[in-house]
Amino acid sequence: MKDFSNIEVFKQGGRILRKYYKELTLAFLAYVLVTFLPKLILSPETAFVEQSIPVTLALFLFTVFISFLGLIVQVGVIKNVIDAAGEIKPNLRDLYLNYRRVPSYLLTSFVASLISLIGLFLLIVPFFFLTARYQFSLFYVIEKKVGMAEALYLSDKMTRGSIWKIVKFDLFLIFINILPFLPMLIARILGAQPPLSYLFGLFALFVLFTASVSFISLTVLYKKFNISPKA
């Protein structure tokens, strides 16, 4: 069993974010921009509703293109975070240079999510255990450039004997990311009226920071457990 401290891993994630804050902030902003800007452009009022055939086709092709671009950037962001977790300065060129990993990334993500969904149908506990067992497979796809089957196998092998500790770490990260919303929730329960409730709600913005550190921390854990594809 591999031993680690939840607090120490999270603190290390925060230290890495501080060390490479320029590169990682730009990478995260690029992902947010590519992911959410098209949703604002293609609102239900403007997309695929009572449009002419050429316009509908153009919107469809744009949606396909921007979705694929989002996947490329998502893979690039993960590559940047993996490098940062390994004390290598992230290269923003990776945001578009890893497009060849998109098919394997997409397939692995689908299969890993399907496995987690099966666990959810069984019960909540199997869901967390199955998610913990295969959640590192995407890192293998991107860093080690392996296929879906080998990535799932390596993630399964890497986590053997430590599943319960990884589940507790996942729950710890969920708790950390819920904390910023508690002041807003308490304000609502106590019946606080605007602008006081909005002031409390500003604490929710901290989730942008905690979510970033959480993802980096998960990557740090991957680097701690990481095994070679030939292992």
Side-chain angles (χ1 to χ4, degrees):
M1 176 182 293
K2 303 175 181 68
D3 196 25
F4 61 91
S5 165
N6 293 344
I7 298 294
E8 287 303 317
V9 173
F10 190 79
K11 287 171 62 177
Q12 189 173 347
R15 181 185 63 79
I16 289 171
L17 181 60
R18 289 195 303 271
K19 183 176 181 179
Y20 301 110
Y21 74 94
K22 290 182 180 178
E23 295 81 5
L24 293 179
T25 299
L26 287 173
F28 289 141
L29 285 176
Y31 173 69
V32 171
L33 184 65
V34 172
T35 302
F36 293 103
L37 185 58
K39 295 180 180 180
L40 296 177
I41 297 174
L42 297 175
S43 63
E45 291 77 16
T46 60
F48 311 113
V49 179
E50 297 182 357
Q51 302 285 359
S52 64
I53 293 178
V55 172
T56 301
L57 180 60
L59 289 173
F60 173 76
L61 292 176
F62 174 76
T63 302
V64 172
F65 168 76
I66 208 69
S67 298
F68 186 71
L69 181 61
L71 286 170
I72 294 175
V73 173
Q74 187 174 348
V75 168
V77 170
I78 297 175
K79 179 63 167 62
N80 278 178
V81 175
I82 290 173
D83 286 344
E87 302 295 341
I88 300 173
K89 185 177 180 179
N91 187 342
L92 292 178
R93 293 178 62 195
D94 283 323
L95 292 179
Y96 61 86
L97 286 179
N98 290 274
Y99 59 90
R100 291 186 180 88
R101 306 312 307 157
V102 168
S104 293
Y105 173 83
L106 192 59
L107 180 60
T108 304
S109 178
F110 172 76
V111 174
S113 299
L114 184 61
I115 293 172
S116 296
L117 188 61
I118 292 173
L120 184 60
F121 278 124
L122 293 175
L123 275 177
I124 296 298
V125 173
F127 166 76
F128 280 108
F129 275 81
L130 287 173
T131 299
R133 185 171 294 280
Y134 296 106
Q135 67 186 3
F136 298 106
S137 56
L138 296 176
F139 296 116
Y140 278 110
V141 167
I142 295 170
E143 184 183 31
K144 304 301 182 182
K145 295 180 171 58
V146 298
M148 179 269 294
E150 187 170 5
L152 293 172
Y153 165 76
L154 289 171
S155 181
D156 174 63
K157 185 175 182 179
M158 184 182 80
T159 56
R160 289 175 191 172
S162 301
I163 286 294
W164 176 235
K165 291 185 68 67
I166 296 173
V167 168
K168 288 193 293 185
F169 182 69
D170 289 345
L171 293 174
F172 168 76
L173 293 182
I174 291 174
F175 174 73
I176 289 294
N177 284 280
I178 288 176
L179 279 179
F181 292 104
L182 289 182
M184 179 177 61
L185 180 61
I186 293 173
R188 291 293 186 182
I189 292 175
L190 295 178
Q193 298 297 320
L196 182 59
S197 61
Y198 296 151
L199 181 63
F200 278 109
L202 290 177
F203 282 96
L205 293 177
F206 284 114
V207 78
L208 297 174
F209 170 76
T210 58
S212 299
V213 177
S214 295
F215 182 67
I216 297 171
S217 302
L218 193 65
T219 312
V220 168
L221 195 61
Y222 158 76
K223 297 296 285 187
K224 285 180 176 292
F225 279 39
N226 188 22
I227 59 176
S228 167
K230 295 181 180 179

